[in-house]
Amino acid sequence: MKVQCLKGFRDYLPGEMLQKERMLSSVREVFEQHGYPPLMTPALEYAEVLTGKYGDEGEMLLYRFRDNGDRDVALRYDLTVPLARVLAEHGDIGMPFRRYQIAPVWRAEKPARGRFREFMQCDVDLIGVDSAAADAEMLVIGAAVMQRFGIESYRLRINHRGILTALCRLVGLEGATEADFLRILDKLDKIGEEKFRAEVAKIPGLDESGLDKVLEVVLCDQKDPAGVLDHIRSILGDDDLANEALDRMHSILEIVDAAGIASSCQIDPSIARGLSYYTGLVYETFLDELPQVGSVMSGGRYDDLVGMFSGKDLPAIGISLGIDRLFYALGELELLSGEKQPAQMLVVLFSDDLAPASFAAASRFRSAGIETLVYPKAAKVKKQLQFAQKSDIPYVAVIGVEESRAGTVQFRDMEAGLQEELSIEAVIEKVLAGHRSP
RNA sequence: GUGGGUGUAGCUCAGUUGGUUAGAGCGCCAGUUUGUGGUAUUGGAGGUCGAGGGUUCGAGCCCCUCCUCCCACCCCA
């Protein structure tokens, strides 16, 4: 037997997982602050629920098999299609519907750096409303997450599908080839103008005479968002779709400005997003200090997707956090807690006879809100202190024969190297006063 | 999916044109006379050298196949 984790899958060891869970708790808090409750759905869906939703390529990447009852099933590929299923299956769900979901999804892709076959997705969506307020709310939530993490310099780059479609019309493209053009456009700042022109020229039916105008829109170096909108309107003003998009973005800008996050937002007509199902606003988030990490938070409006099972018209907008990228970035920026383990206090187990005394003390520490570990067997005090030191446990309580008799503990502050004999109440008071506020 | 690399102890790596029982540092465990951590010191455990096959008197080293991980492209989260 080969003892090995499956290719493309991985274990998250406790040291890493503790910090990741801390991060996710912050995310959940922000979502709930904005009034979004969690949703949980099964890992497995009937295969027919998922097939045909992700294009030919997505089809190949589904983990699909027969279950023990010979049902044709598949592991979920994302969280959006299951959401659509939930909305269709539970007819009494009121609109607007909001939820967040943080859960693993599975794709049978070839693994690469930072890319696994099982990975976490973290989505917030607002269903049933098509308004500038709903659009802006997603940006507000995204900004709140960044703020909660302590990330100050980032760019929320926003665009609108209507502008992209208008750009495609400028070069005579419509329909299928639109996606090819936009994919190359999305890479513009990576590949440069020259390569962009070369790549784009390969698309059949491209009208190159419109390219200059496209680049004029996309390479706008205006800083002020309103200025960018005016600039775009001066070029695309004849296109109804573009005008509609510009009006919507104008309204959104007013709201994000009032919400105090306008300085992090930036209109960027080159943001295209990979997936084709977006119908309105789209956005991606980049960290100024770590541009190589790529987009850490992205999403957009997708009005035609969620209603597919119910046949109802269900406009939707969402934002998705790149949990793994964010986790990496927070590590690089030294914004993670850095804890190796959760205990604040180690109670030494002096001897088997004194185990009850140690457990009694530990219970009292825990009731007071101090995360407490009892050493699991009688061992030399030296060894137990070594353990505390290695594990980064800041406080140690020793209860020996004399302390047990007197109802006290030897309280040791590992970092300061100081020790004193105190009552349990006094220890609790000291620890609570001394360490991190929640 | 395509191309290129890689694989020796838990980790980072040595290992001489193929030649006896495969090494180091760090880490781990246990001591240094029994109620107190980081330093020091002594000792110890731990490797069918990624797996399988081949060449050879002899393979960690050469050849083949597979697997793993890494890098680029593709695609994306």
Side-chain angles (χ1 to χ4, degrees):
Chain A
M1 183 183 68
K2 188 153 73 170
V3 180
Q4 192 184 29
C5 197
L6 204 57
K7 181 187 172 81
F9 289 69
R10 56 165 301 194
D11 297 314
Y12 296 85
L13 268 18
E16 180 186 359
M17 210 49 207
L18 180 66
Q19 303 200 45
K20 193 163 259 185
E21 280 298 330
R22 292 269 190 267
M23 176 182 116
L24 292 176
S25 296
S26 301
V27 171
R28 289 187 194 101
E29 238 171 74
V30 171
F31 292 165
E32 289 174 22
Q33 247 166 23
H34 290 78
Y36 285 68
L39 171 73
M40 183 168 156
T41 66
L44 285 175
E45 296 277 354
Y46 280 104
E48 63 174 335
V49 168
L50 304 184
T51 51
K53 311 301 187 297
Y54 305 106
D56 293 344
E57 193 136 339
E59 202 89 345
M60 305 296 294
L61 301 177
L62 281 177
Y63 273 102
R64 185 175 181 180
F65 54 94
R66 296 267 164 187
D67 77 358
N68 294 353
D70 204 36
R71 276 171 285 259
D72 184 13
V73 299
L75 284 164
R76 66 173 165 235
Y77 183 86
D78 69 2
L79 301 177
T80 310
V81 170
L83 168 64
R85 196 215 83 225
V86 166
L87 293 171
E89 194 167 334
H90 303 267
D92 57 343
I93 286 184
M95 290 294 152
F97 177 76
R98 22 172 89 75
R99 66 93 241 231
Y100 71 86
Q101 186 165 8
I102 303 175
V105 301
W106 294 269
R107 298 182 185 181
E109 275 184 290
K110 178 173 174 176
R113 179 173 189 75
R115 209 161 139 206
F116 298 93
R117 287 179 171 170
E118 176 184 62
F119 62 95
M120 207 59 112
Q121 275 199 341
C122 173
D123 291 6
V124 198
D125 293 271
L126 172 54
I127 317 298
V129 189
D130 176 15
S131 69
D135 290 350
E137 177 161 285
M138 286 299 135
L139 303 177
V140 167
I141 292 174
V145 169
M146 291 294 125
Q147 189 186 7
R148 174 64 208 246
F149 286 151
I151 295 176
E152 278 158 14
S153 49
Y154 64 94
R155 298 268 76 77
L156 208 41
R157 287 153 68 172
I158 68 183
N159 194 13
H160 195 290
R161 195 55 207 255
I163 291 173
L164 292 167
T165 301
L167 289 177
C168 289
R169 285 178 183 166
L170 273 184
V171 291
L173 296 177
E174 196 118 22
T177 48
E178 220 174 281
D180 295 332
F181 182 75
L182 293 179
R183 192 174 318 119
I184 300 165
L185 182 66
D186 193 43
K187 286 193 285 192
L188 177 61
D189 48 335
K190 201 172 161 188
I191 62 179
E193 184 179 334
E194 203 173 314
K195 189 138 185 242
F196 168 75
R197 283 179 183 273
E199 287 285 313
V200 131
K202 296 177 191 163
I203 300 175
L206 181 90
D207 173 11
E208 290 194 45
S209 66
L211 267 186
D212 288 335
K213 275 190 165 182
V214 170
L215 286 167
E216 205 182 326
V217 169
V218 166
L219 296 175
C220 167
D221 57 1
Q222 284 259 12
K223 276 222 155 165
D224 168 43
V228 180
L229 291 184
D230 290 342
H231 172 78
I232 297 171
R233 203 184 289 271
S234 72
I235 300 166
L236 300 176
D238 296 336
D239 191 309
D240 288 346
L241 207 54
N243 272 321
E244 220 174 285
L246 290 164
D247 289 345
R248 170 61 71 92
M249 287 173 94
H250 189 79
S251 308
I252 293 167
L253 279 180
E254 283 182 346
I255 297 174
V256 299
D257 190 35
I261 59 165
S263 61
S264 301
C265 297
Q266 172 183 321
I267 307 286
D268 182 343
S270 74
I271 293 293
R273 301 290 287 116
L275 291 170
S276 52
Y277 56 65
Y278 290 106
T279 57
L281 193 72
V282 291
Y283 32 81
E284 301 208 312
T285 313
F286 296 86
L287 306 179
D288 293 349
E289 290 164 66
L290 297 168
Q292 75 281 6
V293 172
S295 176
V296 295
M297 191 169 77
S298 58
R301 174 162 289 286
Y302 52 104
D303 287 343
D304 301 330
L305 190 68
V306 180
M308 61 187 162
F309 294 120
S310 50
K312 291 179 195 157
D313 180 28
L314 290 178
I317 185 156
I319 189 163
S320 180
L321 308 199
I323 289 296
D324 292 313
R325 285 181 179 186
L326 263 176
F327 185 66
Y328 168 80
L330 290 176
E332 290 292 301
L333 298 172
E334 292 177 6
L335 293 172
L336 290 174
S337 68
E339 303 162 83
K340 291 183 193 164
Q341 51 74 49
Q344 287 292 308
M345 168 81 78
L346 172 73
V347 179
V348 165
L349 204 155
F350 194 79
S351 68
D352 290 336
D353 291 349
L354 290 169
S358 290
F359 272 80
S363 293
R364 293 180 61 188
F365 291 139
R366 291 172 187 140
S367 300
I370 301 167
E371 298 84 350
T372 301
L373 188 63
V374 181
Y375 200 81
K377 64 183 221 182
K380 290 182 179 174
V381 173
K382 176 188 175 104
K383 189 175 161 59
Q384 301 192 42
L385 285 178
Q386 259 172 8
F387 168 77
Q389 203 239 324
K390 260 188 323 198
S391 313
D392 274 350
I393 300 175
Y395 304 111
V396 175
V398 182
I399 303 170
V401 180
E402 287 164 29
E403 292 80 12
S404 168
R405 219 171 272 145
T408 58
V409 305
Q410 293 290 341
F411 171 66
R412 186 169 185 84
D413 181 327
M414 292 298 283
E415 200 188 343
L418 298 174
Q419 181 169 321
E420 55 188 324
E421 186 167 352
L422 295 172
S423 68
I424 288 178
E425 293 77 25
V427 170
I428 289 170
E429 204 172 306
K430 273 214 144 163
V431 171
L432 293 182
H435 81 83
R436 55 179 190 163
S437 44

